[in-house]
Amino acid sequence: MNFTSAVEFAAAAAAELERSGSARPVLIGIGSVAGDRGRASNRAYGAAKAGFATYLQGLAQRGSASRVRVVVIKPGFTDTPMTAGLKKGGPLWSSPQRVAADIARALERGGPTSYSPWFWRWILMIVRLLPHPVMSRLKF
């Protein structure tokens, strides 16, 4: 559901944007930093977000032949009802308002992938480079 409904909505939205008369239509999809590297604690959620981001990359490639620009937003920990059961606070947490501001900025000038907040891009670059034996010993 986390994957299929998002893909179906994105496909319909992209088709509608292609038909629109808009000078520079933009489709923004909400992914997650959880999709950048598999973790035991959120494997199904991370897999759905990874799949959705990959689907959007395909749409972006197809969109480059049309006028539609596709942007994937990858928020980190955000204080929302979904994270209600988690301990919050610290520098890695964001407010929904912060993520919304980053989405608005990406709408105007974002590349194909935008992290929210910006520092997640660098954190995840390091996490993606960790060898599997190291990653499997980490508990985060």
Side-chain angles (χ1 to χ4, degrees):
M1 196 93 133
N2 216 353
F3 173 73
T4 54
S5 59
V7 164
E8 289 192 26
F9 181 84
E16 185 61 33
L17 286 169
E18 286 173 357
R19 287 190 295 273
S20 78
S22 180
R24 188 169 175 192
V26 181
L27 174 67
I28 291 187
I30 308 294
S32 172
V33 298
D36 279 20
R37 184 79 191 250
R39 293 184 14 234
S41 63
N42 65 354
R43 59 194 173 276
Y45 177 76
K49 291 302 186 176
F52 185 54
T54 301
Y55 177 79
L56 291 173
Q57 289 170 356
L59 265 184
Q61 188 177 19
R62 189 190 87 193
S64 65
S66 70
R67 299 173 294 110
V68 179
R69 183 170 61 101
V70 179
V71 179
V72 181
I73 306 293
K74 293 185 176 185
F77 301 115
T78 307
D79 188 1
T80 66
M82 186 182 98
T83 60
L86 300 177
K87 183 180 174 193
K88 297 181 179 87
L92 298 181
W93 281 86
S94 292
S95 69
Q97 294 79 10
R98 167 82 186 262
V99 175
D102 289 343
I103 290 170
R105 195 169 17 266
L107 179 64
E108 293 301 317
R109 57 183 163 84
T113 303
S114 293
Y115 287 83
S116 176
W118 61 270
F119 55 77
W120 279 106
R121 172 178 302 281
W122 305 110
I123 292 171
L124 269 296
M125 182 182 73
I126 294 166
V127 169
R128 284 190 307 270
L129 292 172
L130 291 174
H132 178 72
V134 173
M135 185 69 185
S136 64
R137 286 189 301 237
L138 298 176
K139 303 294 180 211
F140 66 93

